[in-house]
Amino acid sequence: MKKFLQRSAPWLFLAIMLVAVSPPVSYGQYASAKHPAGRALAQPAADAPGTALKEVLTTLEKSYHVSFNYDDDVLYGVYVKDKFNWSKSEKLEKVLARLLTNFQMTFQRIDRYNYLILAKARANQKESAALSVPPTIGDGLGSGYEPRAMNSPASLRVPVDLIISGTVTADDGGALPGVNVLVKGTTRGTTTDSNGKYTLNITEGENVLVFSFIGYNTVELAVENQSTIDVVMETDILTLNEVVVVGYGVQEHKDVTGAVGSIKGEKLVQSAVPSVDQALQGRMSGVYVTSNSGEPGGGLSMRVRGIGGLGVSEPLYVIDGVIITYSASSSYGYRESANNPLATLNMSDIETISVLKDASASAIYGARAGNGVVIITTKRGKTGAPKLNFESYVGVQKVAKKLDVMNASEYAAFSNDARSAAGLATNAKFANPSSLGEGTDWQDAIFRSAPMQNYQLSLSGGSENNQYYISAGYMKQDGIIIGSTFDRYSLKLNLDNKVTNWLKIRNSLTLSRSYNQSLTNNNGDRYAGIVAQALRRSPTLDVYNGDGSWAGPDASDTPFVGLINNPVMLATLNYEPNERIRALENLSAEVTLHKTLTFQTSLGVDYILTNYDKFKSTFVEGTLSNAKAEATSTKSTLANLLAENTLTYKNTFRGQHALEVLAGYTAQLSTSEYVSALSFFHLTNELKTIDAGQPDPTRLASGGTSQTSYVSLLGRVNYSFKDRYLLTANIRRDGSSVFTSANKYAVFPSFSAGWRISEENFMKSNNFIDDLKLRASWGQVGIDGSLGIGTEYSTIASGYKYNFGHTVVNGMMGNRVANPSLKWETVTQSDVGIDVGLFDNRLSVTADYFVKRYENMITKKALPIYAGMVSDAWYEDVISQPINSATVENKGLELAVSYQNRTSGGFAYSIGANMTTFKNSVIKLEEDIIGGGVGNTDPGNLTRTKQGRSIGEFYGFVTDGIFHTQAEVDAANALSPEAGVYYQSVGTAPGDIRYKDLDGNNTITDADRAYLGSPLPDLSYGFSGNFEYKGFNLDILFQGVHGNMIMNVNRYVLESSTDGENKAIGMVNRWTETNPDSNFPRAIATDPNNNDRASDRYLEDGAYLRLKNIQLGYTLPKAITQKLRLSNVKVYLAAQNLWTVTNYSGYNPDIGTATQNNTSYGIDNTIYPNSITFLGGLNIGL
Amino acid sequence: MKRIYLIASAILLFTTRCSDDFLVRAPQNQITTESFWKTDQDAILAVNSIYDALQTDMGYRLGGFMFGDIPGDDMACFDGEWFVAHDNFTVNSGNLQVKRAWRAWWAGVARANVVLNRVPPIEMDETLKQRLLGEAKFLRGVSYFNIVTIWGDAPLMDHEMNNEEIFAVTRQPQAEIWAQVEQDFLDAEALPTSIPGEEGRATKGAAKAFLSRTYLYQGKYQQAADKAKEVIDMGVYALHDEYIKNYQTQHENGVESVFEVQFVAGTGGWGNNEGNWVPSYSGPSGSSYVASGAWGIVVPSASSKNIYEANDKRRAVNLFEEGSVYNNIPYDPKWSQTGLSLAKYIVGDLPVITEGAIDAERNMPIIRYAEVLLIYAEALNELNQTATAELYLNQVRHRAGLDDLSGLSQDAFRQAIMQERRVEFFGEGHRFFDLRRWGKLKEYVHDIANKENYIEPKNLYFPIPQDERDLNPGLAQNTGY
């Protein structure tokens, strides 16, 4: 192409003139262009009738709010003969092309605000400078040209005294080509070559070199008789975030009309956390991240723009172009949801994360984009010398908070009270409570200081045509509870090869092996959850017996201390390793069919092998024991194949109409399989394999396979007129195996428009608004994942057995009602947004208002029993049919503000804040959804989702203090005129909780339950600051939520009236006859008043503000680094979760949904607590 | 040139569509309706599943107690989770156990309908096909028999229905249901007399006997007598020489058995299994008579020890009472609130100890030859053939060690039949329905047994579960609920 251009330059000029010249320009004016430009010699400056080119450029700089960087040598003595005219409606690139072409110069666009002006000879030599628009000739014909390309040796017409040479590298260690090296005070200099090397001759007295390059801070260095001067240049923070990754491509930020949040990987690694989603918390508006467990490798929930589905609603993840699928209904669902699939990704390899928030941005992903799309791209090599980077940190974590519970003597006293009140015998051992002292602090016994460490080695670089990025990483994090750990090995290989000038091959490969030894927290189950048991186990019991064996209750203890197992024993015996081996690969080829037309084909593979084992040991601790060893071993695989073909057409017409059209065709097939085996009665606890269990008939096996497939057509049109009026339309037609032939295909359209007001003439005169863009979008996307596999099929189940002639025979019959007309859930979203850049773009503001409506949501319509369908062998389950019925709406506001600056004193800083607020309302729901089940902890289901309210509101009784006196109890009972009807219960006595009689019938029944509050925050926010000064940097991130409630399930047990489990310290001050004013209920073993029913007593304000991350770093001065023959050395100290402000009394107010289910948000069922982490890090660049 | 190929292949890639098959991913762990119903094996498996409905707790395991015995005068329940409401007539439309029974019998109807719809097109041995269709009709008849006796009017669902039809049904008058039951049993008469090796399947005799009972319940005495006589004349059935043999595993599916629900032990602990939990439900609570310890959910009422004539051998089979000894362990009246326990599902065999200790082997008798004889006798008496009727009544009395009756008036014979059925079928789910068809419920239940809550017509039938009426408001509720 290039050769063609060169050969045919004159013809091309003509052709382009005919096509591209704007109407006001008269033909006659450019007739003179027939003189080959640049042939004329420059006029001497003195009698030059025109304006210096430099001056013209300065005017353009002001006008277009850009800056030009050039070697003064190049512009020296160059004059524009006539007045150079341009109109601000003209695209800058065109103006420049018009202007410069006459001087045998060209320009390179470095980023949005910076341009490099180059002599053409150099540009050709480098071969990398490409004109982004064809050169045209305008009315301002250039006349002067001085052939003094700055890196031409001929240009150095000075006596040589000293030859200085060296290498210029970037702060990330890579060689930096094209850096201007100038002798200060002169116009002489050179530029670095493709390896970042330069050579320069200087004369006596010229002592200072100035190194400058777009996007980097200028460096001045004294020569001081050195002959080698190597320089490391630092990135200028003002030039970040230029290009935004969107679905199937990238877009310049200025052209984006949808709502897309984007963050660089380098920001994320400031939080030394194992997983991507953890690092996103508080960083982006519209993205609500909550932790479901503090366990290493534990799960998180991410919700984009509110809460949608009535079940799981994680966003769609696209990693290096591969659409990730996870089977929503796994047969070992709890494990799957608790473990985080993103934990397999190495944070240090991530280049950017984009979150497609509105329908305009996400519609290109169609049927699966309803919950938002998260696009993750990984780092790639860049042309230049090899860069070897080593990053590491080591740290220690400790539990962020302990709960204050009773000690042994306090608990014994409580037990005595509770049992006496109920007329039950007390424990002889508790006869003198104060003699029991402190006893065991079970929290201390299970929590520990746990180390974590991370190492990453990467090598990147490449030639003009081949670039590579290779990395190896290792991360290990022990849990703050004994027995839990997480580690990960990862390898990354990204290759970009330009095979010919029309074919590029791109390879992205990630291999990883992650392993976690998980402590089954069984959702806080009081009998299996490790934290629950540490809180509830009696402090009067020991950890070990004198002989080192596990201590437990003896026969006399058992009635008084319950059946809570020794948590230290459980954690120590715990064996639940979960290993994931993953290969994620995307191989693509890009074919340039024409300069405007590109074809890309890719094949993506995501293969995950999971080995999950679990062993329940036998044990004896006092009278508690388990005699039945049990092993399960599950192997599961997920094979996800994705083939995509896209065709992109990109062109500009008449210099004003920019058009980009994308069309694509994709197919995807995901197969997940598992085999699980179970065995019992192992000979010893050491032999944990299935084979070591008793053979037949107690060995059991199960397994299954499921598949989903997609075939999709997609298209997008981006059009901009004069760079001011932007239009985007997306469409995707998805076909999915999830739905029946009637609704197999669905079409998801979206439209958006942007108006860059700042480009309008009337805005040009102001000098503080650099960028002002209004955006609006509307679109529809879908959700299909809430269904599970094969919902369209009515299935036949076996197991309906019977016996004939004493022989068991199987029976088979339909067990599921299909819905042949079932279709996708549709999410319709409207968004209006504004992007503002002020004060040289130092201050930027992005705000969006959105309305996101989920319609045709799939709910279960109960079928009458007389229809005769039975789904289970017990004939108990309710039979339902999936139907499209419910509607949920989220309306919200997002705001992100950032300010960045660098003072002349070298102090650079950026501060940013983001906030999101949304209101969730269930517009239509036929049947209330009861949710928030908390297993075998007393209160049962805690939430209820009802039409007209928001999803998953807490539901229960409303407390009204406690009865302080018998008179109060009597008065309440007297309210009812009916004999034998009590206000609450026949056994209600002073010290019991009083509930409000909401229905006014003078007795407390289920009808007195009410909606108590929502777990969804009114506001979630984050703010961050980055400060740099003379090698020091300080990064901080605060994050928090406001206006949400948390149900503190721990307190149902810790503050209940019943004995058998340890109590919160507050219960020391419980109601007694001598302490009648207490607000803590009395102790009574039988709890006749049912004080631990689901009520607002245990509901707490969930607001918090947390110093999520703080890092103080120091980058060694170049002088020292160079001596060490390194390009970059940085050391830092960091802390996470260092400081939290909250009124919440549990371990951690950052409560998501342990089951990933939207109807179970905000329930603190004794999850694995979070930790405070301190760490030190070292980054070295070679 | 190469580029032209590339462009061409690119265009090809774009225009090539996967076939629609690519988007068809049937569940691989389960058989779909589309892939089932192809072979004789599918037909057999489907028919087996209809039988499974009979086996459910509130089908024929405990359903007989719940509706046939406890609301009557001879059996009681003190366990609130189970049948107290049926005992004292506080049962309402929210009752879980009623709903579970409703589920069992409608599963039977629906499964039979599916079989009757989908088996005929299967290419298979015609004899086997006809037999399986006959079994399905028999089982639909049994299911509807229970539905109409428990709830009265009912939706008539005589074919596999789609959702629209299901939501549109209303309750049809009893007569229509009875007609359907009669037709199904008539059709099922084509079944073979026995299916060796597969005891427990519906047979010609079972169809005829059930049909005879169906006629009797409707007061169609002539037809009831005719049909009972046909069973008698088959020559297949006889009375066991001892009453207890009806409840002994070694004699199950024996000569007296016309139809019984099949169980086997040892199929897996507390989970869903093929064992009969009735010994645990009915056994003396806390005793070691049953390996599980038993829960005494169903107990004979205190008065029921007074219903026996002297020397009636059946008393020892039916009742554990003071002085009873089982497995060398004397009965302790404290094991039951009434001092009595139902013995017949325990006493025949020694305790079965399997994992979980609850899945007993014993079958549940549904129709015994003794009932055929008594139906015949009762019908003949109503047809004014009392003398002949006595012959058949006396066969049953004789086996119980009682003297023959003779020369009774028609009315006295009615009394004798009532007494005989009460004792012979004690704890077998007949009493309440017998009293109802004799018009004696108020007398025995309200007046004699002192169940004050009993009112008519409300308590003649049981309530339709409210949840069902919420889903289909077209379902009327029974009077009084």
Side-chain angles (χ1 to χ4, degrees), chain A residues 502 705 709 744 794 796 801 806 810 865-866 875-876 881, chain B residues 22-23 29 31 33 48 52 100 103 111 166 252 468 472:
Chain A
W502 51 267
T705 303
S709 54
K744 243 182 198 343
S794 50
I796 306 280
K801 294 176 188 169
H806 291 277
N810 212 337
I865 293 168
Y866 66 76
Y875 291 67
E876 295 288 346
Q881 185 186 34
Chain B
F22 183 76
L23 290 179
N29 303 334
I31 295 161
T33 304
N48 291 351
D52 182 53
R100 292 173 74 200
R103 189 188 300 273
R111 288 174 178 187
I166 283 167
E252 67 186 24
E468 297 284 274
N472 176 3

mmCIF file of all heavy atoms in Angstrom, chain A residues 502 705 709 744 794 796 801 806 810 865-866 875-876 881, chain B residues 22-23 29 31 33 48 52 100 103 111 166 252 468 472:
data_model
loop_
_atom_site.group_PDB
_atom_site.id
_atom_site.type_symbol
_atom_site.label_atom_id
_atom_site.label_comp_id
_atom_site.label_asym_id
_atom_site.label_seq_id
_atom_site.Cartn_x
_atom_site.Cartn_y
_atom_site.Cartn_z
ATOM 1 N N TRP A 502 -0.617 -7.842 5.079
ATOM 2 C CA TRP A 502 -2.078 -7.921 5.159
ATOM 3 C C TRP A 502 -2.577 -8.974 6.141
ATOM 4 O O TRP A 502 -3.752 -9.162 6.322
ATOM 5 C CB TRP A 502 -2.668 -8.161 3.775
ATOM 6 C CG TRP A 502 -2.060 -9.323 3.018
ATOM 7 C CD1 TRP A 502 -1.036 -9.256 2.136
ATOM 8 C CD2 TRP A 502 -2.433 -10.696 3.113
ATOM 9 N NE1 TRP A 502 -0.730 -10.494 1.673
ATOM 10 C CE2 TRP A 502 -1.567 -11.406 2.246
ATOM 11 C CE3 TRP A 502 -3.400 -11.401 3.845
ATOM 12 C CZ2 TRP A 502 -1.643 -12.795 2.114
ATOM 13 C CZ3 TRP A 502 -3.468 -12.773 3.693
ATOM 14 C CH2 TRP A 502 -2.589 -13.454 2.827
ATOM 15 N N THR A 705 -23.706 -34.666 32.200
ATOM 16 C CA THR A 705 -23.200 -33.832 31.117
ATOM 17 C C THR A 705 -24.276 -32.843 30.738
ATOM 18 O O THR A 705 -25.453 -33.187 30.733
ATOM 19 C CB THR A 705 -22.903 -34.696 29.876
ATOM 20 O OG1 THR A 705 -21.990 -35.706 30.242
ATOM 21 C CG2 THR A 705 -22.301 -33.867 28.765
ATOM 22 N N SER A 709 -25.431 -24.157 23.548
ATOM 23 C CA SER A 709 -24.818 -23.670 22.315
ATOM 24 C C SER A 709 -25.480 -22.368 21.889
ATOM 25 O O SER A 709 -26.638 -22.105 22.213
ATOM 26 C CB SER A 709 -24.935 -24.721 21.216
ATOM 27 O OG SER A 709 -26.285 -25.101 21.064
ATOM 28 N N LYS A 744 -36.134 -19.793 19.671
ATOM 29 C CA LYS A 744 -34.694 -20.048 19.683
ATOM 30 C C LYS A 744 -33.896 -18.792 19.354
ATOM 31 O O LYS A 744 -32.795 -18.609 19.816
ATOM 32 C CB LYS A 744 -34.351 -21.143 18.674
ATOM 33 C CG LYS A 744 -33.774 -22.363 19.379
ATOM 34 C CD LYS A 744 -33.388 -23.429 18.420
ATOM 35 C CE LYS A 744 -33.224 -24.777 19.085
ATOM 36 N NZ LYS A 744 -33.087 -24.850 20.507
ATOM 37 N N SER A 794 -39.433 -31.408 28.248
ATOM 38 C CA SER A 794 -40.062 -32.133 29.341
ATOM 39 C C SER A 794 -39.284 -33.438 29.438
ATOM 40 O O SER A 794 -38.970 -34.061 28.437
ATOM 41 C CB SER A 794 -41.529 -32.379 29.048
ATOM 42 O OG SER A 794 -41.696 -32.927 27.773
ATOM 43 N N ILE A 796 -38.085 -37.199 31.397
ATOM 44 C CA ILE A 796 -38.571 -38.422 32.027
ATOM 45 C C ILE A 796 -37.534 -38.801 33.078
ATOM 46 O O ILE A 796 -36.347 -38.852 32.779
ATOM 47 C CB ILE A 796 -38.653 -39.557 30.991
ATOM 48 C CG1 ILE A 796 -39.489 -39.154 29.785
ATOM 49 C CG2 ILE A 796 -39.149 -40.842 31.628
ATOM 50 C CD1 ILE A 796 -40.965 -39.225 29.959
ATOM 51 N N LYS A 801 -39.909 -46.266 41.710
ATOM 52 C CA LYS A 801 -39.753 -47.724 41.763
ATOM 53 C C LYS A 801 -40.969 -48.418 42.359
ATOM 54 O O LYS A 801 -41.743 -47.828 43.118
ATOM 55 C CB LYS A 801 -38.524 -48.062 42.620
ATOM 56 C CG LYS A 801 -37.229 -47.600 42.006
ATOM 57 C CD LYS A 801 -36.101 -47.905 42.977
ATOM 58 C CE LYS A 801 -34.809 -47.285 42.513
ATOM 59 N NZ LYS A 801 -33.809 -47.374 43.576
ATOM 60 N N HIS A 806 -41.352 -59.530 44.906
ATOM 61 C CA HIS A 806 -40.215 -59.275 45.794
ATOM 62 C C HIS A 806 -38.997 -58.696 45.082
ATOM 63 O O HIS A 806 -37.925 -58.640 45.648
ATOM 64 C CB HIS A 806 -39.773 -60.554 46.536
ATOM 65 C CG HIS A 806 -40.770 -61.013 47.541
ATOM 66 N ND1 HIS A 806 -40.843 -60.496 48.805
ATOM 67 C CD2 HIS A 806 -41.764 -61.924 47.431
ATOM 68 C CE1 HIS A 806 -41.829 -61.077 49.449
ATOM 69 N NE2 HIS A 806 -42.414 -61.945 48.645
ATOM 70 N N ASN A 810 -37.641 -50.665 38.365
ATOM 71 C CA ASN A 810 -37.637 -49.218 38.185
ATOM 72 C C ASN A 810 -38.925 -48.783 37.515
ATOM 73 O O ASN A 810 -39.607 -49.573 36.868
ATOM 74 C CB ASN A 810 -36.427 -48.804 37.334
ATOM 75 C CG ASN A 810 -35.939 -47.434 37.738
ATOM 76 O OD1 ASN A 810 -36.686 -46.630 38.305
ATOM 77 N ND2 ASN A 810 -34.691 -47.160 37.461
ATOM 78 N N ILE A 865 -51.664 -29.607 41.770
ATOM 79 C CA ILE A 865 -51.232 -30.970 42.041
ATOM 80 C C ILE A 865 -52.038 -31.963 41.214
ATOM 81 O O ILE A 865 -51.532 -32.977 40.766
ATOM 82 C CB ILE A 865 -51.387 -31.274 43.540
ATOM 83 C CG1 ILE A 865 -50.413 -30.429 44.348
ATOM 84 C CG2 ILE A 865 -51.195 -32.747 43.828
ATOM 85 C CD1 ILE A 865 -50.679 -30.448 45.840
ATOM 86 N N TYR A 866 -53.314 -31.607 40.973
ATOM 87 C CA TYR A 866 -54.155 -32.584 40.275
ATOM 88 C C TYR A 866 -53.708 -32.802 38.832
ATOM 89 O O TYR A 866 -54.174 -33.703 38.154
ATOM 90 C CB TYR A 866 -55.641 -32.201 40.358
ATOM 91 C CG TYR A 866 -56.036 -30.935 39.641
ATOM 92 C CD1 TYR A 866 -56.158 -30.914 38.257
ATOM 93 C CD2 TYR A 866 -56.304 -29.760 40.340
ATOM 94 C CE1 TYR A 866 -56.512 -29.760 37.587
ATOM 95 C CE2 TYR A 866 -56.652 -28.612 39.690
ATOM 96 C CZ TYR A 866 -56.750 -28.603 38.303
ATOM 97 O OH TYR A 866 -57.095 -27.457 37.644
ATOM 98 N N TYR A 875 -42.611 -37.360 46.305
ATOM 99 C CA TYR A 875 -43.919 -36.757 46.013
ATOM 100 C C TYR A 875 -44.168 -35.551 46.908
ATOM 101 O O TYR A 875 -45.251 -35.367 47.438
ATOM 102 C CB TYR A 875 -45.050 -37.777 46.229
ATOM 103 C CG TYR A 875 -45.068 -38.902 45.222
ATOM 104 C CD1 TYR A 875 -44.036 -39.832 45.190
ATOM 105 C CD2 TYR A 875 -46.105 -39.028 44.302
ATOM 106 C CE1 TYR A 875 -44.051 -40.866 44.272
ATOM 107 C CE2 TYR A 875 -46.121 -40.067 43.382
ATOM 108 C CZ TYR A 875 -45.098 -40.976 43.372
ATOM 109 O OH TYR A 875 -45.098 -42.002 42.472
ATOM 110 N N GLU A 876 -43.169 -34.696 47.057
ATOM 111 C CA GLU A 876 -43.347 -33.553 47.955
ATOM 112 C C GLU A 876 -43.140 -32.214 47.251
ATOM 113 O O GLU A 876 -43.756 -31.227 47.609
ATOM 114 C CB GLU A 876 -42.358 -33.634 49.139
ATOM 115 C CG GLU A 876 -42.579 -34.822 50.070
ATOM 116 C CD GLU A 876 -43.821 -34.681 50.926
ATOM 117 O OE1 GLU A 876 -44.378 -33.580 51.016
ATOM 118 O OE2 GLU A 876 -44.246 -35.697 51.517
ATOM 119 N N GLN A 881 -43.944 -24.516 36.438
ATOM 120 C CA GLN A 881 -43.543 -24.376 35.053
ATOM 121 C C GLN A 881 -42.878 -23.011 34.917
ATOM 122 O O GLN A 881 -43.380 -22.028 35.442
ATOM 123 C CB GLN A 881 -44.793 -24.435 34.177
ATOM 124 C CG GLN A 881 -44.491 -24.425 32.706
ATOM 125 C CD GLN A 881 -45.764 -24.334 31.892
ATOM 126 O OE1 GLN A 881 -46.724 -23.698 32.299
ATOM 127 N NE2 GLN A 881 -45.762 -24.966 30.740
ATOM 128 N N PHE B 22 -27.310 -27.578 15.595
ATOM 129 C CA PHE B 22 -26.294 -27.090 16.522
ATOM 130 C C PHE B 22 -26.940 -26.470 17.759
ATOM 131 O O PHE B 22 -26.378 -26.494 18.853
ATOM 132 C CB PHE B 22 -25.412 -26.061 15.809
ATOM 133 C CG PHE B 22 -24.283 -25.550 16.654
ATOM 134 C CD1 PHE B 22 -23.157 -26.325 16.877
ATOM 135 C CD2 PHE B 22 -24.343 -24.285 17.229
ATOM 136 C CE1 PHE B 22 -22.120 -25.860 17.660
ATOM 137 C CE2 PHE B 22 -23.304 -23.810 18.008
ATOM 138 C CZ PHE B 22 -22.188 -24.598 18.225
ATOM 139 N N LEU B 23 -28.122 -25.931 17.581
ATOM 140 C CA LEU B 23 -28.780 -25.264 18.695
ATOM 141 C C LEU B 23 -29.730 -26.180 19.457
ATOM 142 O O LEU B 23 -30.491 -25.730 20.295
ATOM 143 C CB LEU B 23 -29.543 -24.039 18.190
ATOM 144 C CG LEU B 23 -28.655 -22.881 17.732
ATOM 145 C CD1 LEU B 23 -29.510 -21.732 17.232
ATOM 146 C CD2 LEU B 23 -27.766 -22.401 18.863
ATOM 147 N N ASN B 29 -28.520 -35.821 30.842
ATOM 148 C CA ASN B 29 -28.629 -36.659 32.032
ATOM 149 C C ASN B 29 -30.020 -37.239 32.176
ATOM 150 O O ASN B 29 -30.270 -38.066 33.019
ATOM 151 C CB ASN B 29 -28.321 -35.855 33.293
ATOM 152 C CG ASN B 29 -26.961 -35.242 33.217
ATOM 153 O OD1 ASN B 29 -26.098 -35.744 32.523
ATOM 154 N ND2 ASN B 29 -26.776 -34.150 33.914
ATOM 155 N N ILE B 31 -33.765 -38.445 30.185
ATOM 156 C CA ILE B 31 -34.418 -38.801 28.943
ATOM 157 C C ILE B 31 -35.524 -37.789 28.715
ATOM 158 O O ILE B 31 -36.241 -37.407 29.632
ATOM 159 C CB ILE B 31 -34.985 -40.221 29.075
ATOM 160 C CG1 ILE B 31 -33.819 -41.193 29.249
ATOM 161 C CG2 ILE B 31 -35.821 -40.580 27.875
ATOM 162 C CD1 ILE B 31 -34.222 -42.508 29.814
ATOM 163 N N THR B 33 -39.059 -36.443 26.869
ATOM 164 C CA THR B 33 -40.309 -37.028 26.417
ATOM 165 C C THR B 33 -40.203 -37.440 24.962
ATOM 166 O O THR B 33 -40.750 -38.455 24.536
ATOM 167 C CB THR B 33 -41.440 -35.997 26.605
ATOM 168 O OG1 THR B 33 -41.440 -35.618 27.976
ATOM 169 C CG2 THR B 33 -42.783 -36.581 26.245
ATOM 170 N N ASN B 48 -44.926 -49.116 35.561
ATOM 171 C CA ASN B 48 -44.402 -49.311 36.925
ATOM 172 C C ASN B 48 -44.551 -48.048 37.760
ATOM 173 O O ASN B 48 -44.832 -48.098 38.958
ATOM 174 C CB ASN B 48 -42.923 -49.693 36.880
ATOM 175 C CG ASN B 48 -42.702 -51.081 36.298
ATOM 176 O OD1 ASN B 48 -43.661 -51.825 36.085
ATOM 177 N ND2 ASN B 48 -41.449 -51.428 36.047
ATOM 178 N N ASP B 52 -46.080 -46.962 41.612
ATOM 179 C CA ASP B 52 -45.315 -46.271 42.635
ATOM 180 C C ASP B 52 -46.180 -45.278 43.405
ATOM 181 O O ASP B 52 -45.998 -45.069 44.600
ATOM 182 C CB ASP B 52 -44.129 -45.553 41.985
ATOM 183 C CG ASP B 52 -43.243 -44.843 42.999
ATOM 184 O OD1 ASP B 52 -42.819 -45.518 43.969
ATOM 185 O OD2 ASP B 52 -42.990 -43.645 42.840
ATOM 186 N N ARG B 100 -51.169 -34.249 50.642
ATOM 187 C CA ARG B 100 -50.241 -35.281 50.182
ATOM 188 C C ARG B 100 -51.007 -36.456 49.558
ATOM 189 O O ARG B 100 -50.560 -37.065 48.593
ATOM 190 C CB ARG B 100 -49.366 -35.740 51.351
ATOM 191 C CG ARG B 100 -48.410 -34.642 51.822
ATOM 192 C CD ARG B 100 -47.681 -35.034 53.079
ATOM 193 N NE ARG B 100 -46.660 -36.024 52.810
ATOM 194 C CZ ARG B 100 -46.144 -36.826 53.748
ATOM 195 N NH1 ARG B 100 -46.557 -36.740 55.006
ATOM 196 N NH2 ARG B 100 -45.224 -37.699 53.438
ATOM 197 N N ARG B 103 -52.095 -35.482 46.204
ATOM 198 C CA ARG B 103 -50.984 -35.592 45.269
ATOM 199 C C ARG B 103 -50.793 -37.030 44.787
ATOM 200 O O ARG B 103 -50.589 -37.296 43.601
ATOM 201 C CB ARG B 103 -49.694 -35.094 45.927
ATOM 202 C CG ARG B 103 -48.523 -34.963 44.966
ATOM 203 C CD ARG B 103 -47.217 -34.647 45.694
ATOM 204 N NE ARG B 103 -47.255 -33.405 46.441
ATOM 205 C CZ ARG B 103 -46.962 -32.216 45.930
ATOM 206 N NH1 ARG B 103 -46.604 -32.120 44.671
ATOM 207 N NH2 ARG B 103 -47.020 -31.136 46.662
ATOM 208 N N ARG B 111 -50.524 -40.338 35.521
ATOM 209 C CA ARG B 111 -49.571 -41.278 34.928
ATOM 210 C C ARG B 111 -50.293 -42.309 34.067
ATOM 211 O O ARG B 111 -49.818 -42.683 32.987
ATOM 212 C CB ARG B 111 -48.772 -41.957 36.033
ATOM 213 C CG ARG B 111 -47.791 -40.993 36.661
ATOM 214 C CD ARG B 111 -47.075 -41.585 37.849
ATOM 215 N NE ARG B 111 -46.123 -40.600 38.365
ATOM 216 C CZ ARG B 111 -45.244 -40.861 39.323
ATOM 217 N NH1 ARG B 111 -45.191 -42.070 39.868
ATOM 218 N NH2 ARG B 111 -44.425 -39.924 39.723
ATOM 219 N N ILE B 166 -55.770 -28.255 31.849
ATOM 220 C CA ILE B 166 -55.620 -28.509 33.282
ATOM 221 C C ILE B 166 -56.188 -27.369 34.105
ATOM 222 O O ILE B 166 -56.904 -27.574 35.084
ATOM 223 C CB ILE B 166 -54.125 -28.749 33.613
ATOM 224 C CG1 ILE B 166 -53.736 -30.156 33.186
ATOM 225 C CG2 ILE B 166 -53.864 -28.545 35.104
ATOM 226 C CD1 ILE B 166 -52.247 -30.413 33.158
ATOM 227 N N GLU B 252 -47.354 -63.465 51.712
ATOM 228 C CA GLU B 252 -47.885 -62.311 50.967
ATOM 229 C C GLU B 252 -48.121 -62.710 49.505
ATOM 230 O O GLU B 252 -47.500 -63.647 48.991
ATOM 231 C CB GLU B 252 -46.991 -61.083 51.106
ATOM 232 C CG GLU B 252 -45.629 -61.168 50.463
ATOM 233 C CD GLU B 252 -44.779 -59.951 50.795
ATOM 234 O OE1 GLU B 252 -45.020 -59.301 51.818
ATOM 235 O OE2 GLU B 252 -43.849 -59.666 50.013
ATOM 236 N N GLU B 468 -54.849 -25.611 45.786
ATOM 237 C CA GLU B 468 -55.318 -26.008 44.464
ATOM 238 C C GLU B 468 -56.406 -25.081 43.967
ATOM 239 O O GLU B 468 -56.480 -24.758 42.785
ATOM 240 C CB GLU B 468 -55.858 -27.442 44.528
ATOM 241 C CG GLU B 468 -54.809 -28.462 44.889
ATOM 242 C CD GLU B 468 -53.897 -28.767 43.721
ATOM 243 O OE1 GLU B 468 -54.239 -29.628 42.899
ATOM 244 O OE2 GLU B 468 -52.834 -28.123 43.654
ATOM 245 N N ASN B 472 -56.608 -22.842 40.655
ATOM 246 C CA ASN B 472 -57.746 -22.984 39.755
ATOM 247 C C ASN B 472 -59.016 -22.655 40.525
ATOM 248 O O ASN B 472 -59.624 -23.507 41.167
ATOM 249 C CB ASN B 472 -57.824 -24.416 39.205
ATOM 250 C CG ASN B 472 -59.056 -24.608 38.336
ATOM 251 O OD1 ASN B 472 -59.821 -23.667 38.087
ATOM 252 N ND2 ASN B 472 -59.262 -25.836 37.874
#
